Amino acid sequence: MSDRLPSNARPSNFEIVCRDGLARLGRLKTLHGTFETPIFMPVGTNANVKLMRSDELRRIGATIILSNAYHIAVRPGLEVIQLHGGLHRFMAWDGGILTDSGGFQMFSLKNFRKVSDEGVTFVSPYDGSKLFLTPELSMDIQRTLGSDIVMVLDHCPAIDADYKEAFDATRRTHEWAERCLKHGIKKGQLLFAIAQGGAFEDLRRASARHLSEKDFDGFAVGGLSLGEPFEMTLRLAHATVSELPDDKPRYFMGGGSPRTIVELVAIGVDMFDSVYPTRLARHGTALTSEGRLNVKASRYRKDLSPIDHRCDCLVCQNYTRSYVHHLLNRGETLAGMLLTYHNLYYMFRFMERVRKSISEGTLEEVRREVGEIYEERRGDTADVLFVDYDSLGRRG
Ligand SMILES: [Zn+2]
């Protein structure tokens, strides 16, 4: 089934250009471009980054986005994607696509699934239909989607799972990772493993060590950013990352506030995804050079300044806070569109700055500054997470 070459016969897809402490500036090569890391990937669960067109994403600097194999397989269904020749054509996006396997939905849709060692049965929250997802099927789905980066099917335990539960989920994650590797993907696609381990440092280390011995193209830190205290996120992520191979990309799943990014880049993480900027935008909050700005607040009703004085995006060049405030007040869709555009623009400029600081050896300065303007609340996306934590889960 697999036409995957053994690792010693494949050219390396990841190269570290320079370092600043543990932080790395790298280049990751995929079928749809070579991306500089550390990188932020906006989330497009339903084959769209909410309120952004693909050409706009491209124009403001997005190079790779995240989508979700499980959700796309359910709606619109793989036959529709096949008609288009893949997910790229379907959503008119010629950049990179990383697809999550469906493992996270075992966490977020916990009332709609049944897990065994063989796989997981999902009951569609839309119409009650069943899908039996196995590691092998997850690989087939992501092969059909044509994802540039394929994630293994994993079992993501709740962050408050006890030791036995976390241990079992981790063991299952390892077995499934092996099955994914054995089943194989398309030539040129990259396959990433996901380290689990719940809230337990020893399990996290063991998971990272175990997976590191296998022939994956990259490794993810899974099962964090689920609402746990920030200090715990960092401690557990560090336990995982410190056991991962140095020469492969490391991806922190589901975390992407400026603070989370800069703290994790500093311990050697290369890739991030989060609904943070887009979901905040839809709730009326802008990311700015001075921290978060709640544009809904009545003090902006007559404020003629741009969202962010230091931003040169199309929104900040043309619209006032007063106008966006008005749109939010009237529940106009354009408010979310303008803020989404600005917030993503902000994130891509922020990532450029992080990368530049690594090459100049000044990441510590950025870290200090971000620490001052972006105080971390509980977890990374937790405070936005629970605003509309609907049946589609966090990656919506
Ligand atoms: Zn702007």
Side-chain angles (χ1 to χ4, degrees), residues 281-298:
R282 296 198 306 281
H283 288 94
T285 296
L287 306 173
T288 80
S289 53
E290 288 163 6
R292 290 174 178 221
L293 186 87
N294 175 13
V295 191
K296 274 189 193 157
S298 55

Side-chain angles (χ1 to χ4, degrees), residues 286-288 306-317 338-339 341-343 345-346:
L287 306 173
T288 80
I307 298 293
D308 186 353
H309 292 282
R310 288 197 222 153
C311 179
D312 60 358
C313 86
L314 190 138
V315 174
C316 292
Q317 278 177 3
L338 296 179
L339 286 176
Y341 187 99
H342 162 83
N343 279 1
Y345 187 92
Y346 175 90

